[in-house]
Amino acid sequence: MKAIIFNGSLEQRPESTSGRISQYFAERIEKSGFQTEVFTLADSGIPLFDVTLTKTPLAVERMTQLFLEADIHFWLAPLYHGSIPGVMKNCLDWLEVTSGHYQPYLTDKTVGLVCWADGLHAMQGINTMDAVAKSLRAWPIPFSIPVIRAALFDHEDPTKISSLYSDKFDKLINIATTKRIEKVQHHH
């Protein structure tokens, strides 16, 4: 089974918020026995969506292949002005190139959603991704994680994700990999 982590941020440093969250997810998902790939938007070279092109750009073909091969998706997004970054939506719009496939778009894929914001508004990003995932015929997991950035990292060790959020991330990964929503035992 394959999983993809879609890092929808343009931050390129591994120690950035998106880099740390991606890393956390990658380590945990691999432990669940999934082959895991991180798709980092900043390195992807995806051009602006253009339906008039006669040939699909190579970067888009590569992205589409990764997205279609993965059984489980985790979409990680910062909140920009009340929504997900436009570049992230741009990537998802490119999935239009699969419209002629026997199973177009992200038909029947499971998608876990995480969005972080400085205030309490990360849910707006979750709602955007939820709508996009559904329109791409995927199944967004009903347990999603809006993150308040100030509480994301451990106060003693700012390189570590706080137990508040590591518990939530673990629960989301557990649901995605088992397709069951159940109480997760807390390990501290």
Side-chain angles (χ1 to χ4, degrees):
M1 297 280 271
K2 286 187 176 181
I4 190 165
I5 297 161
F6 180 17
N7 175 355
S9 163
L10 283 174
E11 301 174 292
Q12 278 177 299
R13 304 183 325 279
E15 69 278 7
S16 65
T17 301
S18 60
R20 291 226 171 97
I21 298 174
S22 297
Q23 189 60 39
Y24 185 92
F25 271 80
E27 284 168 10
R28 291 296 194 285
I29 297 162
E30 276 166 9
K31 280 201 183 95
S32 311
F34 278 75
Q35 206 183 319
T36 308
E37 177 103 31
V38 178
F39 180 78
T40 305
L41 219 163
D43 309 330
S44 66
I46 300 289
L48 288 176
F49 179 55
D50 180 357
V51 273
T52 64
L53 293 181
T54 47
K55 198 174 174 323
T56 305
L58 203 61
V60 172
E61 275 181 17
R62 191 183 160 271
M63 180 200 85
T64 306
Q65 193 181 352
L66 285 175
F67 278 43
L68 296 184
E69 280 174 1
D71 306 283
I72 301 176
H73 286 228
F74 293 92
W75 294 357
L76 315 178
L79 189 77
Y80 286 176
H81 311 122
S83 187
I84 60 172
V87 282
M88 184 177 190
K89 173 70 165 63
N90 179 63
C91 282
L92 295 164
D93 289 342
W94 270 112
L95 292 168
E96 189 55 41
V97 301
T98 67
S99 64
H101 290 201
Y102 170 63
Q103 288 217 310
Y105 314 113
L106 299 177
T107 301
D108 279 345
K109 310 269 180 218
T110 300
V111 186
L113 307 174
V114 179
C115 183
W116 56 95
D118 288 334
L120 294 166
H121 300 291
M123 202 61 211
Q124 292 179 342
I126 299 280
N127 291 339
T128 301
M129 291 189 284
D130 184 78
V132 173
K134 284 173 180 163
S135 73
L136 291 168
R137 305 182 191 178
W139 298 94
I141 293 172
F143 177 81
S144 54
I145 308 171
V147 175
I148 299 166
R149 231 179 80 121
L152 179 58
F153 297 107
D154 193 311
H155 288 302
E156 263 82 271
D157 180 1
T159 64
K160 273 179 60 193
I161 290 183
S162 67
S163 61
L164 169 71
Y165 284 110
S166 61
D167 283 350
K168 289 180 188 230
F169 291 167
D170 292 346
K171 183 173 181 179
L172 179 62
I173 291 164
N174 191 53
I175 293 167
T177 53
T178 63
K179 300 281 204 300
R180 284 197 307 275
I181 301 179
E182 51 195 32
K183 280 220 175 307
V184 175
Q185 303 307 312
H186 295 289
H187 314 287
H188 290 302

